[in-house]
Amino acid sequence: MISIERGLEIVSSVAAEQARQDWMPSEIVPLTESMSRILREPVSSDSDSPPFDKAIRDGFAVRFEDVQRAPATLRIIGESRAGAGADVEVGLGQCCEIMTGAPLPKGTTAVVMVEHTERPNVESVRVLRSVRLNEGLLRQGTEAKKGDRLLEPGRKIGLADIGLLASVGKAQIAVSKRPRVAIIATGDELVEVTDRPTSSQIRNSNSYTLFIQSARAGADPVLLGIGRDNLDDLREKIRVGLEADVMLVSGGVSMGKYDLVESVFAEFGVRVFFDKVAMKPGKPTVFGFHRRTFVFGLPGNPVSTMVSFHVFVRPVILSLLKAVDVQRPLLQAKLEAPAKCDPERAALVPALVRFDGEGYRIATAPWKGSSDLVGLSKANALIVIPRREGSLEPGETAEFFFME
Ligand code: AMP
Ligand code: MG
């Protein structure tokens, strides 16, 4: 049995070994469809930003030395509005009316806010407060110079990036194609969501959580339905699954008599790198590779499946997408209740995190083991309980990540 850290090292080294430009290739999408996709081209500024010296206040463009001693009365010689500058040169004792976003007229070095002025008549303005040099304006190129690199490939496109891309004229963007993730649930006890289970059956829930987790990670998931616990049925499903970039098989990887998934992996020649991780839940997690497919056998229990995906599958999808950040950042919170450690396995326990003004507080959610979706739905995070003797005490700092 290997540690979570070792498992992650193996996963990332196999992912690095398989990394090629053509897997995944990029595709061009319209700006409106690029949110949260992984950028595949460098983005540079196509002009200075701002492209001209501009006002960032409504008011009067002045020569700042004219208003060093306030109040000062200046003669208005023109108007500069957004989209149409004033063709004037402002001289001593003069100023130009100006609006936010308008080009600064020649000769001026500051903008006085309209709130700090009075109008004795239409031709002149009384400036009530002095201003500093360059106050109320933004000089050409202060945000970026033409040709500056603004965004690097591998970045997950965020909301501000959408605005930035629009501002540099990118209506179409190269992003990573979404890898196909084939999802197979296994078990003789499973029925579909729309079916009514008999007393010995349960509904298939893993396919749906895996579908959403895959889609959120940036993949294009496909549900291949339920494989029954017999070799023929599993072979059939796994054959189709191995055509995808990533195959996820849930259930059938524990020690039970009908846990046949690993033997079918072996029949197909899947190279298995590990099949047990010192992790609770999620111990029977299988990771392998076959031709052009990352292969995962995930534990059947719903909470275990979800946790295993978070830890091992998500980084593989993000590596395929050529994302720079493949690991979810760990955050820190103060424990509100004790949490028992296990010297054999690190645990990732559903927990409830809240913010109390000083920082995050965390307590494990009331859950009844790794099949308890009811308990899990009360949690918003997974707390990391380190592999060691003893327990974490209230007030101690613990690491966690949000489940979303
Ligand atoms: P297994 O790993 O196949 O032994 O399954 C472990 C537990 O998870 C069993 O109680 C299964 O009934 C349950 N389970 C397996 N697959 C699913 C699924 N797709 N949806 C919900 N529960 C499942
Ligand atoms: Mg099973």
Side-chain angles (χ1 to χ4, degrees):
M1 197 153 65
I2 59 166
S3 66
I4 298 179
E5 293 76 20
R6 181 75 196 116
L8 280 171
E9 272 171 30
I10 294 171
V11 166
S12 74
S13 77
V14 175
E17 206 175 286
Q18 300 300 332
R20 289 191 307 267
Q21 270 313 104
D22 62 336
W23 192 27
M24 300 303 296
S26 61
E27 63 179 345
I28 306 291
V29 296
L31 182 55
T32 47
E33 283 162 34
S34 67
M35 181 65 184
S36 299
R37 302 290 298 266
I38 304 297
L39 185 66
R40 279 296 275 282
E41 58 176 318
V43 176
S44 301
S45 195
D46 70 332
S47 63
D48 287 352
S49 175
F52 46 83
D53 295 349
K54 74 169 182 189
I56 53 171
R57 299 276 181 269
D58 293 318
F60 295 87
V62 300
R63 304 165 69 99
F64 101 99
E65 64 272 21
D66 272 353
V67 295
Q68 283 316 282
R69 236 164 273 129
T73 302
L74 303 172
R75 201 160 72 78
I76 304 167
I77 62 161
E79 180 192 89
S80 176
R81 47 193 288 191
D87 192 16
V88 294
E89 171 136 22
V90 176
L92 228 60
Q94 298 180 331
C95 70
C96 181
E97 198 169 3
I98 197 161
M99 322 299 152
T100 300
L104 209 65
K106 278 203 204 79
T108 61
T109 52
V111 173
V112 179
M113 284 166 77
V114 70
E115 292 89 334
H116 298 159
T117 63
E118 280 173 6
R119 288 292 285 274
N121 52 56
V122 282
E123 285 110 57
S124 57
V125 61
R126 222 164 101 85
V127 176
L128 305 173
R129 289 196 202 171
S130 66
V131 283
R132 281 173 286 112
L133 178 66
N134 292 332
E135 196 174 325
L137 59 90
L138 208 54
R139 292 288 179 192
Q140 177 174 345
T142 32
E143 294 162 349
K145 295 263 186 282
K146 181 176 179 174
D148 278 358
R149 275 283 186 108
L150 301 176
L151 300 173
E152 297 294 335
R155 178 188 176 90
K156 185 173 173 183
I157 296 174
L159 183 57
D161 301 339
I162 298 287
L164 191 57
L165 288 163
S167 75
V168 300
K170 299 289 296 178
Q172 316 273 325
I173 331 277
V175 298
S176 293
K177 264 195 148 151
R178 298 182 189 280
R180 286 212 331 146
V181 175
I183 297 166
I184 302 167
T186 72
D188 283 342
E189 75 282 30
L190 301 179
V191 299
E192 264 315 334
V193 188
T194 44
D195 293 338
R196 194 162 194 89
T198 63
S199 59
S200 58
Q201 295 176 322
I202 58 164
R203 290 194 181 94
N204 166 23
S205 62
N206 290 347
S207 289
Y208 299 94
T209 52
L210 290 173
F211 185 96
I212 298 302
Q213 286 182 294
S214 302
R216 286 235 167 157
D220 177 15
V222 203
L223 295 179
L224 297 187
I226 301 166
R228 298 302 168 192
D229 292 323
N230 63 75
L231 291 171
D232 282 344
D233 210 32
L234 291 175
R235 279 182 197 126
E236 198 47 50
K237 292 272 188 264
I238 287 170
R239 184 190 328 279
V240 180
L242 285 172
E243 285 166 18
D245 298 297
V246 181
M247 176 175 71
L248 308 179
V249 182
S250 95
V253 286
S254 308
M255 302 304 286
K257 193 169 156 195
Y258 299 100
D259 290 332
L260 304 171
V261 168
E262 276 190 273
S263 33
V264 179
F265 284 176
E267 279 184 26
F268 278 96
V270 172
R271 244 170 92 204
V272 170
F273 295 94
F274 59 78
D275 66 355
K276 262 177 215 67
V277 182
M279 171 170 122
K280 193 167 75 177
K283 180 171 144 192
T285 293
V286 183
F287 171 62
F289 191 80
H290 180 259
R291 290 196 190 133
R292 264 188 79 133
T293 306
F294 288 97
V295 175
F296 286 94
L298 303 174
N301 268 316
V303 183
S304 320
T305 311
M306 220 181 277
V307 169
S308 263
F309 182 100
H310 269 298
V311 177
F312 295 110
V313 185
R314 189 175 172 275
V316 163
I317 292 175
L318 288 166
S319 301
L320 266 172
L321 287 165
K322 313 213 183 304
V324 173
D325 295 324
V326 300
Q327 287 299 344
R328 201 180 290 266
L330 282 177
L331 302 170
Q332 296 196 324
K334 275 227 164 78
L335 265 176
E336 294 190 296
K340 209 173 149 352
C341 301
D342 181 335
E344 303 277 300
R345 293 194 278 168
L348 290 157
V349 179
L352 190 65
V353 177
R354 61 189 181 86
F355 194 78
D356 78 346
E358 275 175 42
Y360 289 121
R361 307 260 164 197
I362 195 164
T364 52
W367 72 313
K368 311 214 162 27
S370 39
S371 65
D372 183 10
L373 281 169
V374 179
L376 185 66
S377 74
K378 298 188 171 69
N380 59 358
L382 291 174
I383 178 171
V384 183
I385 311 278
R387 173 183 177 178
R388 65 165 169 83
E389 300 284 346
S391 56
L392 295 177
E393 297 305 322
E396 269 193 75
T397 301
E399 290 185 312
F400 74 96
F401 55 89
F402 282 110
M403 263 193 311
E404 68 161 341

